Amino acid sequence: MTKVTMTVNGKSVSKEVRGNMLMTEFLRDELHLTGTHVGCDTSQCGACTIHVNGENVKGCTIFAAECDGAEVGTIEGQANADGSLNVIQQAFQDHHGLQCGFCTPGMVMAAASLLQENPKPSEAEIRHYLEGNICRCTGYHNIVKAIMAASGQDVSSIAAE
Amino acid sequence: MPKDHGIGAAQKRREDVRFLTGAGQYTDDINTYGQAYCHFLRSDVAHGKITSIDTSAAEAMPGVVRIFTGKDFEGIGGLPCGWQVTDKHGEPMKEPAHPVLAQGKVRHVGDPICAVIADTLDQARDAAEAIEVEIEDLPAVVDMKAALESGAALVHDDLSDNLCYDWQFGSDQEAVDKAFAEAAHVTTLELVNNRLVANPMEPRVALGEYNRANDESTLYTTSQNPHVIRLLMGAFVLGIPEHKLRVVAPDVGGGFGTKIFHYAEEAFVTFASRQINRPVKWTSTRSEAFMSDAHGRDHVTKIELALDADNNFIGLRTDTLANMGAYLSTFSSSVPTWLHGTLMAGNYKTPAIQVNVKAVFTNTVPVDAYRGAGRPEATFQLERLVDKAARELGVDPIKLRRQNFIESFPYATPVAVEYDTGDYVATMDKLEAMIDIPGFAARRAESEAKGKLRGLGVNCYIEACGIAPSNLVGQLGARAGLYDAATVRVNATGSISVMVGAHSHGQGHETAFPQVVADMLGIDESMIDIVHGDTSKIPFGMGTYGSRSLAVCGSAMVRATEKIINKAKKIAAHLMEASEGDIELKDGQFTVAGTDKSVAWGDVTLAAYVPHNYPLTEIEPGLEETAFYDPANFTYPAGAYACEVEVDPETGKVTIERFAAADDFGNVVNPMIVEGQVHGGLAQGIGQALLESCVYDADGQLLSASYMDYAMPRAGDVPFYMVDHSCATPCTHNPLGVKGCGEAGAIGSPPAVVNAVLDALNHAGHDVAHIDMPVSPHRVWQAMQG
Ligand code: FES
Ligand code: FES
């Protein structure tokens, strides 16, 4: 067991953890932040996407112990201070970019990183960036559209509103 | 003007707020006090005799609570199959036992042998490694043709062969033979409908809890139909009376069919939690899901079309081998028969049709319904065949389809179903405009200038949703009724809870269902909540699959709301001292026709619960009504799809450039949700056509057992889709006129994609009759090499 201290969604937390405890387990089981989902065991699906020191990271590929001292962001920390949806979350709702909602936290986190790096991504850039996030429900159409809309681009001409 | 409220409005989904903030509650998010963790030790061989199991070392390991084996389930029921198919000789299908934990033999990779329960998951996993299981390998049967040969190893020793049933259905033999004898042209095609893994993003979870104080069990599970699970598990497997059993399916992260079925793990955690008097939780890993969730499709087919000298379809016959896997999953037997054979007419007026299906046991994971279930298999066969016929005859594939379309309704097909409404010509007109047929030549020239081949593929589909009615499906072998139920509970202040038998796992019921009730009552949607997914709260309903939610459960909700309106009118009549027949309800106000008297919705509901001035001798207090709705027929959504692909002749890689889907779903309650359902189906269908394939080696090893080996469609594999549902012919027999939309995309898209690839290749001078799915770069490249 090692002791880790980190900031999660702006709040400092300290816990004893097993050396092999994944961040997904730490967040879900220790901190009860169950918005970070686990969809696979091969780091392919992206349902577990979080931010570690501002970087896009798959929570299932990193140990909690490695995040000692880090600034961690999860889906629970994404909404605006007053609890309303942030621009990306709102765009996902407005453009129906989610159905069952299971991949959604990972998609929102990935989208936030993308827009940080590239504030006006093209359709192709978005599709490419989402390579590591699988959604089985939406067919991606509305996810890509939502991310374009969140970046301030006009999506009114995209087929099938 | 687009509506902003009620039926037809593209209302934003209310459930999204919790999903977008990480506040959804999926089954794995639930933990109970004192829970233990379960890990299944699964077979790593496809077929073998279990000669010994030694759990003694494992039992002594830290944290281990108890280890269960097949022995613990002796004398307890196995997993039941919900549909009995009768073969062409009138004999019932073979129904081998399907134990919760393997007994004597393992029959597929992933078959559970032992279940270890420990204080932590790590402890359970560690202990499982210390269990010594000896298995004497037996030859595995994987290929269906080989499985049917005499002398093939038997998946079930108590059966005489691996044939589950040999089913035949359709027109008289004589009529079919005559059509083929008289044909001017016969087109024949052999094809495979590739085995798929449904892969909802949320892996399955089962958490069993037992309360010794009142002898009640609760099962939290990732299910599409909690009441069905309660019935099957309680009555058939564990013998627990239903009133002592509660099944909860909270937020569920996608299903696509694979969460319809009753699985061993659900029965196991419920059983084990009673035995050890402690909650037991199992969470599937993705790799485990690949070998324990029911798979989909897996047909090998030969199909033939007879045409007369004018290119009219005069006869169709099809022979299919359908893989059942090692055991009969809950609805598996119905998929290749009643869900597939009855749709073989497609959109065409072929007068003589015969369907033959042999269902085969193999040493593979059980196969069952997956998005579309049977209908995608029927559509793929037929629409590939029609395209091949057009190419052989040198006629335009759209023209050939149009010429053979059914044009007058109702239409009784030779395969026992009657389409109530449809307009296939209008849908095809719409599709042609959407995909821009006249502009195709220029787009092809552009591709060719880049050294690429371009193809356009078109197809139609018909689907049967809202499977029903109960007395008919009963005759066909269903062991359950297929109605649904809704309770509308109006509260004293006028707000409403609607308890429904349907289950939402991405379909947006919490948003769409209130739109219907709000419209009927003339009140705001925000007054209405939908309750689903918990057998302790909802009326007995059949859950969600086969695009039945709105057509069946929505209709029950309409019927229950009508009862509410009738009773509320009586109360309003009393309050206004008017005659009941004169009361009208509009915009949430009850008025007396021809007067200015009115009373608001909330005043009527309050009177029902505070019955001071109330005709108690004539009307019961309260305002709560339930309706069970059993549909008169299936509904028949239909559509026409077009796909344009670019093929790289150097590599064989196929890229989807354009996709158009014109669907007839009848009336639409929430167009935004409907379009989303189509998009999702399209991606799954495109996935099947280009990427997805569940592969076994000859020994029955599952080679595609993770996302590293099973190619899931990703954002870069699909385009923006053009979808339209304006060619609506409302269903004539349900009160909403709705037909169902969830499966359309997955049914209609695979043939469009494959037809497009073949068009590209043939236009470039390659003479390629067919490529099996997935149409991978390797297969395309090989086909081009001749
Ligand atoms: S759970 Fe981390 S990538 Fe799938
Ligand atoms: S919304 Fe269900 S997996 Fe993406």
Side-chain angles (χ1 to χ4, degrees), chain A residues 18 20 25 28-29 32-42 44-45 47 58 75-79 83 85 88-90 92-105 108 123 126-128 130-142 144-145 148 158-161, chain B residues 12-17 19-24 26 28-29 31 122 196-203 251-254 256 285-288 370-371 505-508 672-677 679-681 683-684 687 692 706-708 710 712-723:
Chain A
R18 284 180 282 113
N20 65 351
E25 296 175 74
R28 292 180 55 79
D29 300 341
H32 307 295
L33 294 172
T34 55
T36 301
H37 296 150
V38 178
C40 73
D41 35 43
T42 50
Q44 305 277 314
C45 78
K58 287 183 176 172
I75 188 68
E76 286 89 349
Q78 291 292 299
L85 300 180
I88 297 170
Q89 291 168 316
Q90 191 59 57
F92 269 72
Q93 185 185 28
D94 291 347
H95 298 283
H96 192 30
L98 65 154
Q99 290 182 21
C100 77
F102 196 80
C103 73
T104 307
V108 170
E123 178 197 342
I126 295 172
R127 291 187 188 274
H128 182 72
L130 294 182
E131 182 66 30
N133 291 71
I134 305 176
C135 174
R136 193 53 151 168
C137 297
T138 65
Y140 302 102
H141 181 117
N142 285 338
V144 176
K145 191 169 162 183
M148 291 178 86
I158 294 171
E161 174 64 46
Chain B
K12 311 282 178 244
R13 299 198 327 169
R14 51 171 79 172
E15 47 269 75
D16 290 359
V17 176
F19 295 151
L20 282 161
T21 53
Y26 299 87
D28 193 44
D29 302 340
N31 294 296
D122 279 349
L196 302 175
V197 182
N199 270 317
M201 292 317 298
E202 177 203 33
D251 286 330
V252 171
F256 317 116
T285 63
R286 181 60 56 185
S287 304
E288 211 174 0
Y370 164 61
R371 205 165 192 168
H505 31 284
Q507 296 89 344
M672 178 192 80
I673 291 176
V674 163
E675 282 160 15
Q677 291 287 306
H679 294 166
Q684 293 188 6
E692 295 182 41
S706 78
Y707 287 153
M708 314 261 262
Y710 184 95
M712 291 281 281
R714 291 169 191 265
D717 297 314
V718 291
F720 280 131
Y721 320 99
M722 296 177 266
V723 306

Side-chain angles (χ1 to χ4, degrees), chain B residues 36 59 61 63-67 116-119 276 278:
Chain B
E59 263 155 31
M61 301 226 347
V64 172
V65 179
R66 194 164 153 189
I67 299 176
V116 183
I117 298 176
D119 292 335
I276 66 168
R278 193 173 157 183

Side-chain angles (χ1 to χ4, degrees), chain B residues 461-720:
Chain B
Y461 78 88
I462 178 125
E463 113 119 308
C465 295
I467 175 170
S470 290
N471 48 20
L472 172 68
V473 297
Q475 283 168 30
L476 304 182
R479 288 164 167 159
L482 283 164
Y483 46 84
D484 221 303
T487 298
V488 177
R489 176 178 299 159
V490 182
N491 301 308
T493 56
S495 69
I496 299 174
S497 300
V498 184
M499 278 65 78
V500 294
H503 183 275
S504 185
H505 31 284
Q507 296 89 344
H509 295 173
E510 289 168 49
T511 302
F513 282 16
Q515 291 180 244
V516 173
V517 178
D519 229 29
M520 292 180 70
L521 297 177
I523 62 174
D524 198 80
E525 275 92 352
S526 62
M527 305 259 293
I528 304 161
D529 261 354
I530 298 298
V531 179
H532 69 105
D534 181 343
T535 59
S536 72
K537 295 182 179 163
I538 61 173
F540 190 96
M542 301 304 291
T544 290
Y545 43 87
S547 295
R548 69 196 302 277
S549 292
L550 208 48
V552 188
C553 189
S555 297
M557 193 171 66
V558 169
R559 294 286 181 249
T561 307
E562 285 166 355
K563 292 185 190 178
I564 291 285
I565 293 172
N566 286 340
K567 184 168 177 186
K569 279 185 175 173
K570 285 197 177 83
I571 302 169
H574 172 79
L575 294 179
M576 293 186 282
E577 293 172 342
S579 121
E580 190 191 324
D582 293 339
I583 304 293
E584 287 167 0
L585 172 61
K586 198 168 176 282
D587 297 332
Q589 293 281 326
F590 294 89
T591 53
V592 183
T595 73
D596 58 0
K597 277 197 200 166
S598 83
V599 52
W601 166 253
D603 293 329
V604 171
T605 62
L606 191 67
Y609 287 95
V610 187
H612 295 165
N613 169 23
Y614 191 90
L616 284 166
T617 50
E618 292 149 47
I619 317 173
E620 285 175 22
L623 199 49
E624 172 169 329
E625 298 287 349
T626 294
F628 284 77
Y629 177 83
D630 201 287
N633 190 0
F634 297 92
T635 67
Y636 294 98
Y641 286 15
C643 175
E644 261 182 54
V645 297
E646 226 175 47
V647 179
D648 183 340
E650 302 287 317
T651 62
K653 183 169 167 42
V654 175
T655 309
I656 299 200
E657 295 292 328
R658 294 160 72 86
F659 203 105
D663 291 293
D664 173 0
F665 297 137
N667 294 335
V668 162
V669 170
N670 185 318
M672 178 192 80
I673 291 176
V674 163
E675 282 160 15
Q677 291 287 306
V678 176
H679 294 166
L682 291 177
Q684 293 188 6
I686 291 169
Q688 171 168 28
L690 293 183
L691 300 161
E692 295 182 41
S693 192
C694 181
V695 182
Y696 282 92
D697 74 7
D699 296 327
Q701 272 305 328
L702 179 55
L703 301 181
S704 52
S706 78
Y707 287 153
M708 314 261 262
D709 326 287
Y710 184 95
M712 291 281 281
R714 291 169 191 265
D717 297 314
V718 291
F720 280 131

Side-chain angles (χ1 to χ4, degrees), chain B residues 153-205:
Chain B
L154 291 178
V155 178
H156 295 276
D157 302 324
D158 50 342
L159 307 183
S160 52
D161 54 29
N162 293 315
L163 182 69
C164 177
Y165 54 76
D166 183 355
W167 185 78
Q168 184 174 325
F169 183 67
S171 311
D172 292 344
Q173 188 70 46
E174 220 173 293
V176 178
D177 290 347
K178 187 162 167 281
F180 278 86
E182 288 173 357
H185 182 85
V186 172
T187 294
T188 303
L189 182 59
E190 290 187 37
L191 46 77
V192 171
N193 203 300
N194 43 327
R195 180 184 277 236
L196 302 175
V197 182
N199 270 317
M201 292 317 298
E202 177 203 33
R204 287 191 296 118
V205 181

